[in-house]
Amino acid sequence: MSLVGRTRPVVPNAISAAACAHCGARLAPGQVRFCCSGCEGAHGLVAGLGLDAFYRRQETEAGTLRPETAALALDLAPFVAAERDGVQRLDLVVSGLTCGACVWLVEQALALEADVLSARASLATRRLSVTWRGDAGRANDLVRLLARLGFRAAPWSPACLRATEDAEGRALARALGIAGFGAMNIMLISVAVWVGGDMGPSLRHGLHWLAAMIGLPVVLVAGMPFYASAWAALRAGRPSMDMAVSLGVLATAAMSLSETIRNGPYTWFDGATMLLALLLAGRVFDRAARRRARQSVAELLALQEGLVTRLLANGRSEAVPAEAIAAGDRVLVAAGERLRLDGSSKAATLLDAAATTGESVPRAFAAGDALPAGAVNMGAAFTMVVSAAAKDGSLAAMARLLERAEQAKGRFVAIADRASRLYVPVVHAVAAATFALWWGVLDAPWQVALVNAVCVLLITCPCALALAVPAVQVVAVGALFRRGVLVTSATALERLATADHAVLDKTGTLTEGRPVLLPEGQDDAVLARAAGLARASRHPLAQSLARACPDAPLAEGVHEVAGQGLEAGDARLGSPGFVGLPPSSDGMTLAFRDGDRAPVLFRFADRMRDDAPAAVASLAALGLPAELLSGDGEGAVAALAWQAGIAEWRAGADPVAKQARIAALMAQGRHPLMVGDGINDAAALAAAHVSASPAGATDLAQTAADLVLQRDGLAMLPATVRIARRAQAVARQNIGFSVGYNVLAVPLAVAGVVTPLVAAVVMASSSIIVVLNALRAGKD
Amino acid sequence: MDILVYLIPVSLVLGLLGLVGFLWALRSRQYEDLEGAAARILFDDDPRKETPK
């Protein structure tokens, strides 16, 4: 039963008094064992199934498993595939699946259902395949069971498929396998030739033929990724490192073949295949790290991608993808559902537009108001008349803004390509000149001239330079990944290293994006009664009130007055106006009146992340002074800026204003780092020199950002800047080293004094030096 | 040196066997869930159920 070798549980084995017994989140004062009723239910469910072993094995991030109280928004039955004999199969993408124990819990909990035939979860792809016998509608029960355990599930979508069906990655791995096989076997033969001093020429000739028979196909097959990319670069008319690699490898192989045919003393098949193997290994690792990053973005997209319930003229409803809805259609928006389209409603509605506008409190919309896509329905279900199809709506407009900004960023060129722009033509010119010199001027036979020219290519053989930057990238991206920072763009680290200004969003970035009750000496009994009412609502303020007093039982007979508040008997909880008080200016207030007693006000604040001031200070120390850019009102922004130690702030900024501010900074020659989480930040994120999103960010923001901070908070941001800068420094050292090495070695090769043995030793040692140096890039 | 006549083919055949094994594993997608496989091997309870009751 024990989990050998796992010594780093994020959730302590013996659940301490301060952490929730199910999800491991920190408990608020007054909470016992569980952080919310959902976790309490989940814990009971796990124990009831006899699966408590889960808690001894679990090593998930604290808080990820907190079950949502909202009902299942999506009917999964249409996604079920019927197999033979009445067996149903459903593929899901599951969030919260972060450790082996989660895989075990999910599989075991599903397998305990009587009709479930098999359940198989994949930790790497977050994919769950479940089969059962019976009705397709059972899918909803099974997903609800997962939701009660704290796992959110969505149908496995084409977006996930694109991210995980990594045909190119498999091709690279196959090429690596072949190159590795070739390199090792040819090396074996080469060593025999090198050390076999008493070897006769005929035996050596035979061994060379053997090496050629292994080496030629390996060079042709395993080098394909490089040849293809070099060919593409050649046709586009730009130099690339792959061209240097391809030419070096092919010329080496051709030369070795010619040496073999005329029974010369040396062949270089070992060098060619070893170089391919090393470079392919780097690509495979790099790709694996980026694939993880892309995948977590795709996972988010899948969870949020959804169907829309269209109401038909005959009163029936059907679930269709949002793209199929046209302007004028009527759709049903369930409680808690995200609006996928713009529209208007005949009823008053309460929407949480935090993702699109950055407002931290839900806003009441009157009947007929334009409702923005991207907002979440916090009130009762309503019917919406769609005003624009998905492709013409406000979300699409935002996406176009994003696209334009991204194109502007696409012109940034990676350091390796900048280096190769000079390097590739120079080296090829030197090789050509060497051939001309020996053949034309010194009148040597053409074979000798060619050997010397190839020796130039060999010794400069982009080994060191080709490995210089990718090796650093792989090490730095891997180190960041272990610290919970996903790097989604190949040039992100370079751009981050040069950032000199930080622009931070407020809600969800500097703050937790979740209001908390301000302790102002409320009467416990009153608080408990109010929390009992609040428990019935999805409004964020009500939910924070319920969280502040988790033991309060749900009050009886609560009903919701849309856009106003809650009523149970003669007790009322809601906006100040609802209980007969003057309305409050900042929206972060709930009023409660119990019968004839004096009304009580509960005030809330969106709490700043604990690590925010420290992160802001460290960024400033690194030369990135911070600036606050928020869609919220002036008062809240100024207060938070002061609290976080930020001197410069701007309030009331809409997406266009945010992007404009970034553009203004860029025009001044600054290199801004933008950190944001909302749909409203996406365009600014894409426009900025470099950008980051916290873990809870919206899908659009995560897609636009170069870095995704997987763990809560900003604490990793300064460390990421330091790693990026260190990686840049190491990459520059590596390039400097390989250029210096070439300057020394090329004259020797041109002069024809380099024997292949010397070339091989020098080449290998230069590569090793570069790789060893790259290992330093991961240190903070 | 005659020993090479045996040793080299043997080493090549073994190497090829390894390569074929690797390609087969790649094709049958055994590299798709490396983390899951690493964790799964440590759970020693039997699968609760493989066949329907």
Side-chain angles (χ1 to χ4, degrees), chain A residues 532-558:
Chain A
L533 259 75
R535 189 141 287 203
S537 170
R538 285 182 45 85
H539 191 287
L541 292 184
Q543 289 196 337
S544 344
L545 188 62
R547 258 198 306 276
C549 188
D551 300 328
L554 177 60
E556 276 172 34
V558 183

Side-chain angles (χ1 to χ4, degrees), chain A residues 195-246:
Chain A
V195 301
D198 56 345
M199 187 181 282
S202 60
L203 180 57
R204 192 186 64 199
H205 196 196
L207 287 181
H208 277 174
W209 269 113
L210 195 60
M213 276 158 58
I214 308 169
L216 281 178
V218 166
V219 162
L220 289 180
V221 173
M224 273 326 279
F226 298 100
Y227 311 148
S229 141
W231 179 239
L234 197 65
R235 281 204 305 187
R238 58 186 160 79
S240 91
M241 204 44 97
D242 288 336
M243 262 156 71
V245 172
S246 305

Side-chain angles (χ1 to χ4, degrees), chain A residues 1 57 100 104 107-108 111 113 116-117 120-124 165 170 173-174 177 181 207 210 214 292, chain B residues 1 4 8 11-12 15-16 19 22-23 26 29 32-33 35-36 39-40 42-45 48-50 52:
Chain A
M1 272 292 192
R57 300 165 163 176
W104 178 82
E107 288 181 356
Q108 298 287 326
E113 295 286 303
V116 170
L117 301 178
R120 179 89 180 172
S122 155
L123 188 55
E165 282 287 314
R170 271 210 301 281
R174 189 162 52 231
F181 159 80
L207 287 181
L210 195 60
I214 308 169
R292 284 294 294 258
Chain B
M1 283 298 162
L4 285 181
I8 288 180
S11 93
L12 276 182
L16 267 179
L19 181 63
F22 171 74
L23 294 179
L26 196 67
R29 313 205 159 184
E32 304 272 301
D33 186 20
E35 298 119 82
R40 212 181 282 274
L42 297 168
F43 297 139
D44 48 9
D45 17 13
R48 300 242 167 182
K49 180 174 45 180
E50 279 299 324

Side-chain angles (χ1 to χ4, degrees), chain A residues 513-524:
Chain A
R514 199 161 50 121
V516 285
L517 179 64
L518 292 175
E520 293 177 317
Q522 293 95 346
D523 185 340
D524 279 350

Side-chain angles (χ1 to χ4, degrees), chain B residues 12-34:
Chain B
L12 276 182
V13 166
L14 287 178
L16 267 179
L17 274 180
L19 181 63
V20 168
F22 171 74
L23 294 179
W24 168 77
L26 196 67
R27 186 171 292 261
S28 63
R29 313 205 159 184
Q30 296 188 27
Y31 290 93
E32 304 272 301
D33 186 20
L34 294 175

